[in-house]
Amino acid sequence: MKARLKHFTGGAMLALFVLSFTAERLHAQAEHVPAAHPVYQFLNRQHVQGNVEGYSRAWLPMELKQVRTFLLELRKRGDLLSDTERRILARYEDEFFAGALDAPPPRSIAQASIPGMAAAVFSDSTTHFYAWRSATGESTMFMEALASLEYRTMLSDQGNTNVTLGQIGGRFRGTLGGLLGYSLTATNGMASGNRSLALSDPQLRKNFNFGALDKEYFDLTEAVLSMSWDWGSASLGKETRFSGTGRSNQLLLSNNAAPFDAVHVDARFGAVRFSFLHGALLSEFTRLPEGKPYYDAKYVSMHRLEADLLDLLRLGVFEAVIYSGREMDLAYLNPVNFYKSAEHAGGDRDNPMLGFELSTLGIDGLELYGSWLIDDVDFSLLGKSWWGNKFILQAGTTLSSLLPECDITVEYSRIDPYVYTHRYMGNQYTHDRAALGFELAPNSDELYFGLDYWAGADLRLGAALQLRRHGANEVDSEGAIIVNHGGDIYHSMIDGRDSDIAPFLAGVRDNSTLLTVTGVWEPWRDIFVKGTYRFRDRDSDVSGKRSDHYLSLLLDVRL
């Protein structure tokens, strides 16, 4: 596996090297803005309101220069914004233009006097632990100290548990010569308290030290190199990526799985945008007879074409394919290939998917959107609950003008039986034991109601209600399948054992209701206090009715 990754990395670096000499016009600001940054929620609100054009949440993260472009557009349309929105915009301008040549020099804690350090930390302006900008503005470097302390507690009929998590680390990022963007984020943390509660967090559960080796500490690292030119960009590295139009969960790439290493290329031509990604995944973990851990080779390739039509509709078409057990396939390294046909030509051994997205444009304050993912299909058997017709349907609407400073979302998602599964072990749509897309298992659906309230530039409140249904497989006391209803991503249909008819939501029923309330307060710049409360009520055919209350209080410092 190491040899394959070395070959993968070497080829990617060669591609980036070639691109560096073929780009016609290069820009500074080549680094990426992390996909989880709240600026994207703000830009999406402005997009729905009709105040910013060309913004799309369907493929994140974006380059810093793109975010700056949208913020500049909003500055020009400041008279269309509310007082709260103008204050939020001012905060983001202060943050994202800190390294720009026409902006004041970025503030640096490490370069301040001792009395000035405290004033810099507890200020209302963006401050970095260390910041540098070249005389031409083509090169920048920012160093940020990261620290967090979080208390979590779970109250349930089975008893009360709690855990405290602490993390410390740093990030450095910037641009070199107006060509190369770079970013490295690394933190180390420890957990004290109930281990089971800590492992309910998917990011901790998938951490190798904490989840697999049962150690008390965990480490999280993301690193990416990127280059940018007039009509596009390219990057190599591991970073959190989102792909999909959903607000509750994205169907192609979400934060359900850990980040993975990938080569990524973007191209933009007016109202047309194209993205390509090829990444190395972790397959299912096994141990060799001598005890050595082993992961078989596993890759994902995906591309997406998006176009704005007559300023009325946005159409997206995407493909993804998972393949494993062999070296990289050149057919899937071709960004413009048709993966479904390539998979057939290669012996019908991989797991391809095709999808379509549609959303409205030009209706100020309202967005209607929908996605249709086709994992597999036989049109002659549509409507007959045939197991091989595997779809994800997602549709929603967002209202941003019904209530002041509020975004209201209603969304429905349906995942058919056997979606993301595959008859060959290793080809499931997973990375390191977690689905790359929806966190919900196959044979499930969800009705989501969400509200985001921008109470001020330094305070954001949110609430979400999720009504979920799942049809699980019938298993015996040892976990062996008795009846397969397509409810587990790791169990595809087996001829002779399972019926080829799989009705939606058949099986062992598990219904749940989740109510989540969140609040994020930023009393000083880059110092956040976040509170989360979640009530969950479950009704299962196996375990009966039960409920629990989850509470989290987080102090997050990013200086």
Side-chain angles (χ1 to χ4, degrees):
M1 183 65 179
K2 290 182 179 179
R4 294 186 182 111
L5 286 176
K6 182 178 180 181
H7 177 66
F8 170 80
T9 304
M13 288 303 296
L14 177 61
L16 291 180
F17 180 76
V18 171
L19 284 170
S20 70
F21 286 94
T22 58
E24 296 178 359
R25 181 184 172 191
L26 300 172
H27 295 260
Q29 317 147 24
E31 65 265 29
H32 291 175
V33 176
H37 198 290
V39 70
Y40 294 119
Q41 282 72 44
F42 178 68
L43 291 176
N44 190 72
R45 171 174 170 79
Q46 300 308 314
H47 166 72
V48 174
Q49 289 184 312
N51 297 332
V52 63
E53 297 178 359
Y55 173 78
S56 173
R57 66 176 180 274
W59 192 274
L60 299 177
M62 293 181 178
E63 302 164 78
L64 175 57
K65 73 174 185 182
Q66 292 177 278
V67 173
R68 285 181 175 178
T69 298
F70 292 130
L71 295 178
L72 285 173
E73 184 178 347
L74 286 173
R75 179 192 294 175
K76 295 176 183 177
R77 301 183 178 185
D79 57 326
L80 301 176
L81 307 183
S82 68
D83 290 341
T84 297
E85 290 171 329
R86 282 192 288 269
R87 291 196 297 270
I88 295 172
L89 174 61
R91 282 206 165 203
Y92 285 138
E93 286 183 317
D94 179 54
E95 176 179 354
F96 289 108
F97 286 89
L101 186 60
D102 56 350
R107 298 172 52 137
S108 176
I109 297 175
Q111 295 171 311
S113 63
I114 293 179
M117 287 183 179
V121 170
F122 300 105
S123 70
D124 200 40
S125 299
T126 297
T127 305
H128 304 275
F129 180 77
Y130 177 81
W132 171 81
R133 182 183 68 191
S134 67
T136 62
E138 292 184 338
S139 297
T140 60
M141 184 176 73
F142 298 95
M143 296 178 63
E144 300 165 5
L146 306 177
S148 67
L149 183 65
E150 183 178 12
Y151 175 79
R152 300 177 181 178
T153 184
M154 178 79 78
L155 310 176
S156 68
D157 297 337
Q158 290 73 38
N160 302 336
T161 58
N162 59 79
V163 65
T164 301
L165 306 171
Q167 291 190 75
I168 190 168
R171 176 190 296 122
F172 73 88
R173 61 176 179 84
T175 298
L176 296 177
L179 167 66
L180 183 68
Y182 60 91
S183 175
L184 169 63
T185 303
T187 62
N188 277 276
M190 292 191 67
S192 176
N194 186 273
R195 186 174 185 85
S196 296
L197 178 57
L199 288 172
S200 66
D201 184 326
Q203 298 304 316
L204 295 180
R205 186 169 61 249
K206 288 170 287 192
N207 183 265
F208 187 76
N209 282 315
F210 193 80
L213 300 183
D214 291 332
K215 296 184 178 180
E216 296 302 318
Y217 67 89
F218 51 91
D219 56 325
L220 304 172
T221 301
E222 295 188 19
V224 63
L225 292 173
S226 57
M227 283 191 292
S228 176
W229 52 92
D230 271 355
W231 51 265
S233 63
S235 66
L236 165 69
K238 181 170 73 171
E239 61 181 336
T240 299
R241 299 177 179 88
F242 297 148
S243 181
T245 59
R247 302 294 292 269
S248 64
N249 214 232
Q250 295 85 6
L251 59 82
L252 203 61
L253 286 177
S254 73
N255 62 356
N256 185 54
F260 56 90
D261 289 286
V263 172
H264 172 219
V265 178
D266 270 337
R268 299 176 296 276
F269 306 97
V272 179
R273 295 168 287 275
F274 176 80
S275 298
F276 165 76
L277 177 147
H278 191 282
L281 306 176
L282 281 178
S283 64
E284 288 55 51
F285 172 79
T286 59
R287 283 196 182 274
L288 300 177
E290 64 271 22
K292 181 180 179 180
Y294 175 75
Y295 296 88
D296 203 357
K298 183 172 182 176
Y299 302 100
V300 60
S301 190
M302 58 182 62
H303 52 197
R304 184 178 187 279
L305 180 66
E306 179 183 89
D308 296 344
L309 308 177
L310 304 175
D311 293 329
L312 296 175
L313 293 173
R314 173 171 293 165
L315 174 64
V317 182
F318 60 86
E319 276 192 297
V321 62
I322 297 285
Y323 65 102
S324 63
R326 65 184 192 273
E327 299 287 350
M328 286 187 296
D329 195 320
L330 293 180
Y332 302 136
L333 288 173
N334 181 350
V336 297
N337 204 355
F338 182 37
Y339 291 160
K340 187 65 176 178
S341 293
E343 191 265 343
H344 286 314
D348 197 19
R349 51 184 168 163
D350 305 323
N351 188 8
M353 287 171 276
L354 170 68
F356 304 91
E357 298 167 341
L358 193 65
S359 60
T360 58
L361 299 172
I363 308 175
D364 293 352
L366 172 67
E367 179 188 39
L368 304 173
Y369 60 91
S371 301
W372 182 31
L373 181 143
I374 306 171
D375 191 342
D376 211 345
V377 63
D378 185 332
F379 289 102
S380 67
L381 295 173
L382 284 176
K384 298 181 179 180
S385 297
W386 182 59
W387 80 276
N389 283 334
K390 302 182 288 185
F391 307 136
I392 296 180
L393 296 173
Q394 186 179 62
T397 181
T398 296
L399 295 164
S400 64
S401 57
L402 186 63
L403 297 173
E405 318 301 346
C406 278
D407 294 332
I408 301 172
T409 298
V410 180
E411 181 177 280
Y412 176 74
S413 304
R414 166 177 163 152
I415 309 174
D416 280 346
Y418 293 106
V419 169
Y420 294 153
T421 69
H422 197 264
R423 64 185 184 275
Y424 298 145
M425 181 57 67
N427 280 356
Q428 293 82 10
Y429 194 66
T430 60
H431 165 55
D432 196 16
R433 300 159 291 147
L436 286 166
F438 267 103
E439 63 173 324
L440 295 178
N443 200 21
S444 301
D445 70 350
E446 176 187 81
L447 183 59
Y448 169 87
F449 302 90
L451 185 146
D452 288 302
Y453 174 51
W454 306 80
D458 57 358
L459 179 62
R460 183 182 175 194
L461 305 174
L465 175 65
Q466 296 162 281
L467 308 177
R468 295 176 170 179
R469 301 182 297 178
H470 173 55
N473 297 335
E474 299 176 40
V475 299
D476 62 21
S477 58
E478 301 295 325
I481 291 180
I482 301 173
V483 181
N484 192 349
H485 295 281
D488 189 323
I489 198 170
Y490 281 106
H491 293 283
S492 186
M493 201 277 285
I494 297 179
D495 291 327
R497 185 195 69 176
D498 305 324
S499 171
D500 63 355
I501 301 300
F504 180 60
L505 291 181
V508 180
R509 204 56 178 275
D510 190 341
N511 298 338
S512 60
T513 299
L514 292 87
L515 175 63
T516 306
V517 179
T518 59
V520 181
W521 178 41
E522 189 180 6
W524 300 282
R525 289 308 304 271
D526 303 315
I527 299 178
F528 302 87
V529 179
K530 180 178 181 180
T532 302
Y533 167 76
R534 187 203 67 203
F535 169 74
R536 178 174 59 180
D537 183 70
R538 298 184 64 182
D539 186 0
S540 170
D541 288 346
V542 174
S543 54
K545 294 186 177 182
R546 61 193 189 278
S547 61
D548 56 58
H549 303 262
Y550 169 83
L551 182 64
S552 164
L553 187 61
L554 168 69
L555 174 64
D556 190 10
V557 179
R558 311 169 195 172
L559 294 174

